[in-house]
Amino acid sequence: MDAQGFRDCFERIKAGMARVVVGQEDLVEGVLVGALARGHVLVEGAPGLGKTLVARALACVSGCSFKRIQFTPDLMPSDVTGTQVI
């Protein structure tokens, strides 16, 4: 894929997410960059800012499934992965 094709694809995905997520352009772009770089993105913020909505919209636009883990202060990595991490 050439640079122009990548830009078009990126903008198309971003526009698809913008139809659902309003007013969070920086967050949407950051999550997209993290996903395209095959990295991880930790989204922190106060309740009600649309963090789950952004993740759900990205999954929908990209044709992936969406699952959510509710983190609490006492949650350990082994609670998520099923193995003990030292």
Side-chain angles (χ1 to χ4, degrees):
M1 177 183 291
D2 64 340
Q4 185 61 38
F6 179 81
R7 178 184 296 244
D8 293 341
C9 182
F10 185 85
E11 291 300 325
R12 195 169 44 251
I13 293 170
K14 190 173 163 184
M17 290 181 67
R19 282 186 262 149
V20 177
V21 181
V22 179
Q24 298 284 341
E25 291 84 15
D26 291 339
L27 175 60
V28 168
E29 191 167 311
V31 169
L32 278 175
V33 168
L36 291 172
R38 294 182 173 208
H40 297 272
V41 178
L42 177 62
V43 181
E44 294 181 303
L49 295 180
K51 299 176 295 288
T52 301
L53 183 63
V54 168
R56 189 173 286 136
L58 177 62
C60 182
V61 167
S62 62
C64 297
S65 63
F66 172 78
K67 293 185 181 181
R68 180 177 182 268
I69 298 172
Q70 178 67 46
F71 282 92
T72 59
D74 62 337
L75 188 68
M76 299 298 292
S78 61
D79 296 331
V80 177
T81 62
T83 60
Q84 190 167 12
V85 178
I86 298 176

